[in-house]
Short mmCIF file of all heavy atoms in Angstrom, two decimals:
data_model
loop_
_atom_site.label_atom_id
_atom_site.label_comp_id
_atom_site.label_asym_id
_atom_site.label_seq_id
_atom_site.Cartn_x
_atom_site.Cartn_y
_atom_site.Cartn_z
N ARG A 181 30.89 56.92 110.19
CA ARG A 181 29.74 56.78 109.28
C ARG A 181 29.73 55.43 108.54
O ARG A 181 28.70 55.01 108.05
CB ARG A 181 29.72 57.93 108.28
CG ARG A 181 29.53 59.26 108.99
CD ARG A 181 28.99 60.31 108.07
NE ARG A 181 28.97 61.62 108.69
CZ ARG A 181 28.02 62.04 109.52
NH1 ARG A 181 27.02 61.26 109.82
NH2 ARG A 181 28.08 63.25 110.05
N GLU A 182 30.88 54.76 108.46
CA GLU A 182 30.95 53.44 107.82
C GLU A 182 30.80 52.31 108.82
O GLU A 182 31.08 51.16 108.50
CB GLU A 182 32.27 53.29 107.05
CG GLU A 182 32.34 54.10 105.76
CD GLU A 182 32.64 55.58 106.02
OE1 GLU A 182 33.42 55.88 106.96
OE2 GLU A 182 32.08 56.43 105.31
N ASN A 183 30.38 52.63 110.03
CA ASN A 183 30.16 51.66 111.11
C ASN A 183 31.44 50.96 111.54
O ASN A 183 31.44 49.81 111.95
CB ASN A 183 29.09 50.64 110.70
CG ASN A 183 28.38 50.07 111.90
OD1 ASN A 183 28.17 50.76 112.90
ND2 ASN A 183 28.00 48.81 111.83
N ARG A 184 32.56 51.69 111.48
CA ARG A 184 33.84 51.18 111.97
C ARG A 184 34.04 51.69 113.38
O ARG A 184 33.82 52.87 113.66
CB ARG A 184 34.99 51.64 111.08
CG ARG A 184 34.94 51.03 109.69
CD ARG A 184 36.07 51.53 108.86
NE ARG A 184 35.90 52.99 108.71
CZ ARG A 184 36.30 53.68 107.67
NH1 ARG A 184 36.93 53.09 106.68
NH2 ARG A 184 36.12 54.98 107.60
N VAL A 185 34.45 50.81 114.27
CA VAL A 185 34.64 51.17 115.67
C VAL A 185 35.89 52.04 115.81
O VAL A 185 36.98 51.65 115.41
CB VAL A 185 34.76 49.91 116.56
CG1 VAL A 185 35.00 50.30 118.01
CG2 VAL A 185 33.52 49.04 116.43
N LYS A 186 35.71 53.21 116.41
CA LYS A 186 36.81 54.15 116.61
C LYS A 186 37.19 54.29 118.08
O LYS A 186 38.22 54.84 118.41
CB LYS A 186 36.44 55.54 116.05
CG LYS A 186 36.24 55.52 114.56
CD LYS A 186 37.51 55.08 113.88
CE LYS A 186 37.38 55.05 112.38
NZ LYS A 186 38.60 54.60 111.73
N GLY A 187 36.34 53.81 118.96
CA GLY A 187 36.61 53.90 120.38
C GLY A 187 35.44 53.39 121.19
O GLY A 187 34.47 52.87 120.64
N ILE A 188 35.55 53.57 122.48
CA ILE A 188 34.48 53.18 123.42
C ILE A 188 34.26 54.38 124.34
O ILE A 188 35.22 55.00 124.79
CB ILE A 188 34.92 51.98 124.29
CG1 ILE A 188 35.17 50.75 123.44
CG2 ILE A 188 33.90 51.69 125.39
CD1 ILE A 188 33.93 50.07 122.95
N ILE A 189 33.00 54.67 124.62
CA ILE A 189 32.70 55.66 125.64
C ILE A 189 31.98 54.95 126.77
O ILE A 189 30.98 54.28 126.56
CB ILE A 189 31.91 56.87 125.11
CG1 ILE A 189 31.82 57.93 126.20
CG2 ILE A 189 30.56 56.48 124.56
CD1 ILE A 189 31.49 59.30 125.70
N ALA A 190 32.56 55.05 127.95
CA ALA A 190 32.02 54.38 129.13
C ALA A 190 31.55 55.43 130.13
O ALA A 190 31.88 56.62 130.01
CB ALA A 190 33.09 53.49 129.76
N ARG A 191 30.80 55.00 131.12
CA ARG A 191 30.33 55.92 132.15
C ARG A 191 31.49 56.63 132.84
O ARG A 191 31.39 57.80 133.17
CB ARG A 191 29.47 55.19 133.17
CG ARG A 191 28.10 54.89 132.63
CD ARG A 191 27.16 54.43 133.70
NE ARG A 191 25.86 54.19 133.08
CZ ARG A 191 24.97 53.35 133.53
NH1 ARG A 191 25.21 52.67 134.63
NH2 ARG A 191 23.82 53.19 132.92
N ASP A 192 32.59 55.93 133.02
CA ASP A 192 33.77 56.56 133.63
C ASP A 192 34.26 57.74 132.77
O ASP A 192 34.66 58.76 133.30
CB ASP A 192 34.91 55.56 133.80
CG ASP A 192 34.64 54.55 134.91
OD1 ASP A 192 33.74 54.80 135.73
OD2 ASP A 192 35.34 53.53 134.94
N ASP A 193 34.22 57.59 131.45
CA ASP A 193 34.62 58.68 130.55
C ASP A 193 33.69 59.87 130.72
O ASP A 193 34.13 61.02 130.75
CB ASP A 193 34.60 58.22 129.09
CG ASP A 193 35.57 57.10 128.80
OD1 ASP A 193 36.70 57.15 129.31
OD2 ASP A 193 35.19 56.18 128.05
N VAL A 194 32.39 59.60 130.83
CA VAL A 194 31.41 60.67 131.01
C VAL A 194 31.61 61.37 132.34
O VAL A 194 31.60 62.60 132.41
CB VAL A 194 29.97 60.12 130.87
CG1 VAL A 194 28.94 61.16 131.28
CG2 VAL A 194 29.72 59.63 129.45
N VAL A 195 31.84 60.60 133.39
CA VAL A 195 32.07 61.20 134.72
C VAL A 195 33.30 62.09 134.69
O VAL A 195 33.28 63.22 135.22
CB VAL A 195 32.18 60.10 135.80
CG1 VAL A 195 32.69 60.66 137.12
CG2 VAL A 195 30.83 59.42 136.00
N ARG A 196 34.39 61.63 134.07
CA ARG A 196 35.60 62.45 133.99
C ARG A 196 35.34 63.74 133.21
O ARG A 196 35.78 64.82 133.60
CB ARG A 196 36.75 61.66 133.35
CG ARG A 196 37.46 60.74 134.33
CD ARG A 196 38.74 60.18 133.73
NE ARG A 196 38.52 59.33 132.57
CZ ARG A 196 38.20 58.04 132.64
NH1 ARG A 196 38.08 57.45 133.82
NH2 ARG A 196 38.03 57.33 131.55
N ALA A 197 34.60 63.64 132.10
CA ALA A 197 34.31 64.83 131.30
C ALA A 197 33.43 65.81 132.08
O ALA A 197 33.67 67.02 132.06
CB ALA A 197 33.62 64.43 130.00
N LEU A 198 32.45 65.29 132.79
CA LEU A 198 31.59 66.17 133.60
C LEU A 198 32.37 66.81 134.73
O LEU A 198 32.16 67.99 135.05
CB LEU A 198 30.40 65.38 134.15
CG LEU A 198 29.35 64.97 133.12
CD1 LEU A 198 28.34 64.01 133.75
CD2 LEU A 198 28.66 66.19 132.52
N ALA A 199 33.27 66.06 135.34
CA ALA A 199 34.08 66.62 136.43
C ALA A 199 34.96 67.76 135.91
O ALA A 199 35.11 68.77 136.59
CB ALA A 199 34.95 65.53 137.06
N ARG A 200 35.52 67.60 134.72
CA ARG A 200 36.33 68.69 134.14
C ARG A 200 35.48 69.92 133.90
O ARG A 200 35.90 71.04 134.18
CB ARG A 200 37.00 68.23 132.84
CG ARG A 200 38.21 67.35 133.07
CD ARG A 200 39.02 67.17 131.80
NE ARG A 200 38.25 66.68 130.68
CZ ARG A 200 38.11 65.39 130.36
NH1 ARG A 200 38.68 64.47 131.09
NH2 ARG A 200 37.38 65.02 129.33
N CYS A 201 34.27 69.73 133.38
CA CYS A 201 33.37 70.87 133.14
C CYS A 201 32.98 71.52 134.45
O CYS A 201 32.94 72.74 134.57
CB CYS A 201 32.11 70.41 132.42
SG CYS A 201 32.38 69.83 130.75
N THR A 202 32.68 70.73 135.46
CA THR A 202 32.26 71.24 136.76
C THR A 202 33.39 71.97 137.44
O THR A 202 33.20 73.01 138.04
CB THR A 202 31.78 70.07 137.66
OG1 THR A 202 30.74 69.38 136.97
CG2 THR A 202 31.26 70.57 138.98
N TRP A 203 34.61 71.47 137.32
CA TRP A 203 35.76 72.10 137.96
C TRP A 203 35.95 73.51 137.44
O TRP A 203 36.25 74.42 138.18
CB TRP A 203 37.01 71.26 137.70
CG TRP A 203 38.24 71.84 138.31
CD1 TRP A 203 38.62 71.80 139.61
CD2 TRP A 203 39.24 72.59 137.63
NE1 TRP A 203 39.80 72.45 139.79
CE2 TRP A 203 40.21 72.95 138.59
CE3 TRP A 203 39.42 72.98 136.32
CZ2 TRP A 203 41.33 73.69 138.26
CZ3 TRP A 203 40.54 73.71 136.00
CH2 TRP A 203 41.48 74.06 136.97
N ARG A 204 35.76 73.71 136.14
CA ARG A 204 35.94 75.02 135.54
C ARG A 204 34.84 76.00 135.94
O ARG A 204 35.05 77.19 135.93
CB ARG A 204 35.98 74.91 134.02
CG ARG A 204 37.33 74.42 133.53
CD ARG A 204 37.36 74.40 132.02
NE ARG A 204 37.45 73.00 131.67
CZ ARG A 204 36.85 72.43 130.66
NH1 ARG A 204 36.12 73.12 129.85
NH2 ARG A 204 36.98 71.16 130.41
N THR A 205 33.65 75.51 136.25
CA THR A 205 32.53 76.41 136.50
C THR A 205 32.09 76.45 137.96
O THR A 205 31.17 77.17 138.29
CB THR A 205 31.31 75.98 135.65
OG1 THR A 205 30.95 74.65 136.02
CG2 THR A 205 31.62 76.06 134.17
N SER A 206 32.75 75.70 138.82
CA SER A 206 32.35 75.66 140.23
C SER A 206 32.85 76.87 140.97
O SER A 206 33.89 77.45 140.66
CB SER A 206 32.91 74.41 140.91
OG SER A 206 32.34 73.27 140.35
N LEU A 207 32.10 77.23 141.99
CA LEU A 207 32.54 78.29 142.89
C LEU A 207 33.56 77.71 143.85
O LEU A 207 33.53 76.52 144.16
CB LEU A 207 31.34 78.83 143.68
CG LEU A 207 30.26 79.52 142.85
CD1 LEU A 207 29.07 79.86 143.74
CD2 LEU A 207 30.82 80.77 142.19
N PRO A 208 34.46 78.53 144.37
CA PRO A 208 35.43 78.01 145.34
C PRO A 208 34.72 77.54 146.61
O PRO A 208 33.70 78.10 147.00
CB PRO A 208 36.33 79.20 145.64
CG PRO A 208 35.84 80.33 144.84
CD PRO A 208 34.63 79.91 144.06
N LEU A 209 35.25 76.51 147.19
CA LEU A 209 34.68 76.00 148.44
C LEU A 209 35.10 76.88 149.60
O LEU A 209 36.24 77.33 149.68
CB LEU A 209 35.17 74.57 148.70
CG LEU A 209 34.68 73.50 147.73
CD1 LEU A 209 35.35 72.18 148.06
CD2 LEU A 209 33.17 73.35 147.81
N ASP A 210 34.21 77.12 150.52
CA ASP A 210 34.50 77.86 151.73
C ASP A 210 34.82 76.81 152.79
O ASP A 210 33.93 76.14 153.30
CB ASP A 210 33.31 78.71 152.15
CG ASP A 210 33.61 79.56 153.36
OD1 ASP A 210 34.76 79.56 153.82
OD2 ASP A 210 32.67 80.23 153.83
#
Side-chain angles (χ1 to χ4, degrees):
R181 297 202 187 278
E182 287 79 36
N183 207 34
R184 293 179 297 210
V185 179
K186 296 300 180 182
I188 297 284
I189 187 161
R191 285 192 179 153
D192 288 344
D193 297 319
V194 170
V195 168
R196 279 191 296 277
L198 289 171
R200 282 192 306 268
C201 293
T202 304
W203 179 78
R204 282 183 247 142
T205 60
S206 295
L207 296 174
L209 293 175
D210 184 4

